[in-house]
Amino acid sequence: MKIAMIGTGYVGLVTGTCFAEFGHHIICVDKLEDKITTLKQGKIPIYEPGLDVMVAKNAAEGRLQFTTDLAEAVPDADAVFIAVGTPTSRRGDGYADLTYIYAAAQELAEHLENYTVIVDKSTVPVGTARQVSRIIKETNPEADFDVASNPEFLREGAAIADFMRPDRVVIGVESERSEQVLREIYQPLYLRDTPIVSTSIETAELTKYAANAFLAVKISFINEIASICEAVGANVVDLAKGIGMDRRIGSKFLHPGPGYGGSCFPKDTLALMRLVQEYGESLRIIEAAVEVNAAQKARMVKKIRDALGGSEAGKTIAVLGLTFKPETDDMRDAPALTILPALLEKGASLRVHDPKGMEEAKNFLPNGVEYVDDAYTVCQGADAVVLMTEWNQYRALDLERLKASMKELIFIDLRNVYEPASLTGLGFKYVGVGRK
Ligand code: UGA
């Protein structure tokens, strides 16, 4: 199959590269010349484990190309995937900004020659594919095409594995012909017994939001239960095992922490609530999950303050991890961006380390934060260590070494990575989330 991938952001680049790995011929298009030049040189603008090797391999084997010119990619394509950004609107009203989607639809329309399936890969509100269809028809009344929706369920940091071994693929289609094209594109997964769920276009669009909203609810649920565990002296880690082993509940996404972040859950829960409002309805469970998430970040500030004896003023806090999750350099909506400024404001000195996210973090965090290149150096002389993101390199720290270099022995583990006894046994005060 020949595929044009419009947008070489996270989703477009991963999806295009994995399609090439399946054996399809992919041309990735982006307006940003610098980005395309970089990609042509074999350099990857984001950090995603394994992606650089896969891009290089498929480019070398001639199945993956990059261009700024739609005319090179669209006319021959069996399918054109739209994978441009849908950020929260700058109006601040929570709606997804669809400007890039509609611009892409208009621009690609002029280049359509043969029957083509136009696939929305970006996360978009219900009705977007229909609007894309209208725009294409208006721009090029002769065009022979169908629109489809094919939401992505990739987690940053594990995107290639998620793409290659998904739980399911959802395709929203309006004709048998377009379904056939999409089934053929995903044939390699079908051969691995991946279920393909074929739905209407609207259902596929909503499925994506419902999936992310459900996962956000699950995280906020366990974060609230963690607070109750702290109040009654129970242990949320054991509790999560106790409920998660019930297959009706499932053990995944039951890890309490500083609140969910990233480019998806915060944005998609808001966009879904706005969409539902337009229909005169509300989603109270999702509203609650969003509120709980904001409260969770505030609770983490208080947790750190309490651990420091009631005030962070004048204290030096070492922070391990800044990104919203490990294995990414993405700082979008990372809990650190709420928690750290609150501590700074109250007079704490912050020294921070992250294996991949420090350059990005500098764009978001206020001045006055000290960036340190090494996980041990950052802890030297600190009154407390806060483990914010569970990078593997923080999972087996040499605690004796930490003890020898810190001023006060306070370890605040916002991801419950450590067994409390492994720290308390060395004289540390240990503070986790939802457990003593
Ligand atoms: C999420 C979904 O998991 C993907 O299926 C979806 O495709 C993607 O959004 C998207 O819409 O593009 P992602 O944001 O990359 O993926 O990362 P997750 O692994 O889902 O983590 C999101 C946030 O939830 C992180 O801040 C993480 O630390 C937090 N989290 C996750 C918890 O606090 N507890 C958990 O048990 C799981």
Side-chain angles (χ1 to χ4, degrees):
M1 285 262 144
K2 289 185 179 155
I3 299 171
M5 182 66 61
I6 304 183
T8 58
Y10 184 78
V11 172
L13 193 55
V14 171
T15 307
T17 307
C18 289
F19 280 157
E21 184 73 13
F22 284 175
H24 301 309
H25 284 84
I26 316 299
I27 306 187
C28 292
V29 192
D30 204 294
K31 283 191 164 166
L32 299 173
E33 291 208 7
D34 285 357
K35 210 174 193 186
I36 293 298
T37 310
T38 308
L39 285 163
K40 278 183 170 167
Q41 290 165 349
K43 290 184 216 145
I44 309 295
I46 50 167
Y47 174 68
E48 179 62 37
L51 187 59
D52 48 356
V53 177
M54 205 180 261
V55 168
K57 172 174 166 250
N58 284 283
E61 290 170 5
R63 288 189 303 271
L64 184 62
Q65 290 166 266
F66 300 97
T67 181
T68 51
D69 189 1
L70 282 169
E72 272 180 48
V74 174
D76 281 343
D78 299 293
V80 177
F81 280 72
I82 304 181
V84 297
T86 54
T88 302
S89 154
R90 288 197 187 160
R91 293 189 304 269
D93 50 14
Y95 283 95
D97 179 353
L98 300 176
T99 321
Y100 303 112
I101 298 265
Y102 295 149
Q106 190 164 19
E107 288 163 27
L108 76 86
E110 295 160 17
H111 300 286
L112 291 174
E113 287 183 6
N114 308 306
Y115 173 75
T116 315
V117 185
I118 314 298
V119 191
D120 267 339
K121 191 74 183 161
S122 309
T123 299
V124 288
V126 178
T128 305
R130 301 273 173 216
Q131 183 61 14
V132 164
S133 177
R134 268 193 291 277
I135 292 172
I136 295 174
K137 273 185 198 137
E138 274 166 28
T139 315
N140 181 356
E142 305 298 310
D144 183 14
F145 72 99
D146 277 313
V147 289
S149 165
N150 174 218
E152 56 88 14
F153 302 105
L154 311 174
R155 286 165 306 158
E156 288 189 21
I160 290 177
D162 283 354
F163 196 97
M164 292 299 175
R165 301 227 166 260
D167 291 336
R168 79 313 199 182
V169 170
V170 174
I171 52 174
V173 285
E174 59 181 354
S175 73
E176 267 181 35
R177 199 175 178 194
S178 57
E179 178 169 349
Q180 242 0 84
V181 170
L182 278 162
R183 282 189 183 272
E184 208 172 312
I185 290 172
Y186 282 106
Q187 179 75 355
L189 292 183
Y190 191 64
L191 296 175
R192 287 182 194 163
D193 291 332
T194 304
I196 309 266
V197 182
S198 174
T199 71
S200 73
I201 292 178
E202 285 73 14
T203 307
E205 288 173 335
L206 194 56
T207 301
K208 165 69 191 203
Y209 279 110
N212 273 1
F214 188 85
L215 293 171
V217 166
K218 218 173 162 188
I219 297 168
S220 278
F221 173 82
I222 201 68
N223 281 339
E224 257 193 336
I225 294 289
S227 304
I228 303 302
C229 285
E230 286 173 16
V232 304
N235 183 330
V236 76
V237 177
D238 295 340
L239 179 149
K241 269 191 212 143
I243 62 172
M245 282 177 187
D246 182 332
R247 272 177 292 170
R248 291 171 302 175
I249 297 172
S251 59
K252 296 196 175 142
F253 281 71
L254 281 183
H255 303 287
Y260 59 76
S263 66
C264 305
F265 292 167
K267 166 173 84 77
D268 294 349
T269 43
L270 277 189
L272 180 57
M273 288 192 301
R274 291 295 165 268
L275 175 87
V276 164
Q277 269 171 10
E278 279 183 17
Y279 290 83
E281 302 284 342
S282 63
L283 286 169
R284 283 175 294 154
I285 290 175
I286 296 169
E287 280 166 21
V290 170
E291 268 172 39
V292 168
N293 198 51
Q296 186 69 3
K297 293 185 241 178
R299 284 191 76 247
M300 296 301 109
V301 175
K302 182 167 184 305
K303 186 183 275 295
I304 295 166
R305 179 175 303 141
D306 290 349
L308 283 161
S311 168
E312 60 270 53
K315 300 287 169 109
T316 300
I317 302 173
V319 180
L320 295 176
L322 297 170
T323 50
F324 78 102
K325 62 183 283 189
E327 298 302 332
T328 179
D329 57 358
D330 198 338
M331 283 298 299
R332 284 177 287 178
D333 269 312
L337 297 181
T338 309
I339 297 168
L340 301 191
L343 296 170
L344 260 185
E345 207 174 284
K346 291 277 169 62
S349 297
L350 295 182
R351 292 159 57 79
V352 303
H353 174 264
D354 190 280
K356 295 284 175 195
M358 288 209 285
E359 280 314 306
E360 194 58 15
K362 286 175 191 166
N363 298 323
F364 293 96
L365 284 172
N367 293 335
V369 173
E370 189 187 341
Y371 297 86
V372 182
D373 278 337
D374 174 81
Y376 289 100
T377 316
V378 79
C379 298
Q380 271 170 19
D383 292 293
V385 169
V386 174
L387 200 164
M388 183 78 71
T389 315
E390 70 279 30
W391 286 90
N392 278 340
Q393 74 173 81
Y394 303 145
R395 286 181 181 274
L397 291 167
D398 179 344
L399 299 175
E400 294 277 7
R401 190 172 161 196
L402 224 58
K403 177 178 174 178
S405 75
M406 287 176 65
K407 191 164 149 212
E408 298 282 338
L409 299 185
I410 302 174
F411 196 98
I412 305 160
D413 182 0
L414 300 187
R415 300 286 183 168
N416 290 342
V417 165
Y418 283 88
E419 270 310 315
S422 64
L423 283 136
T424 52
L426 289 173
F428 279 86
K429 173 175 176 181
Y430 175 89
V431 178
V433 181
R435 59 181 182 171
K436 289 266 176 215

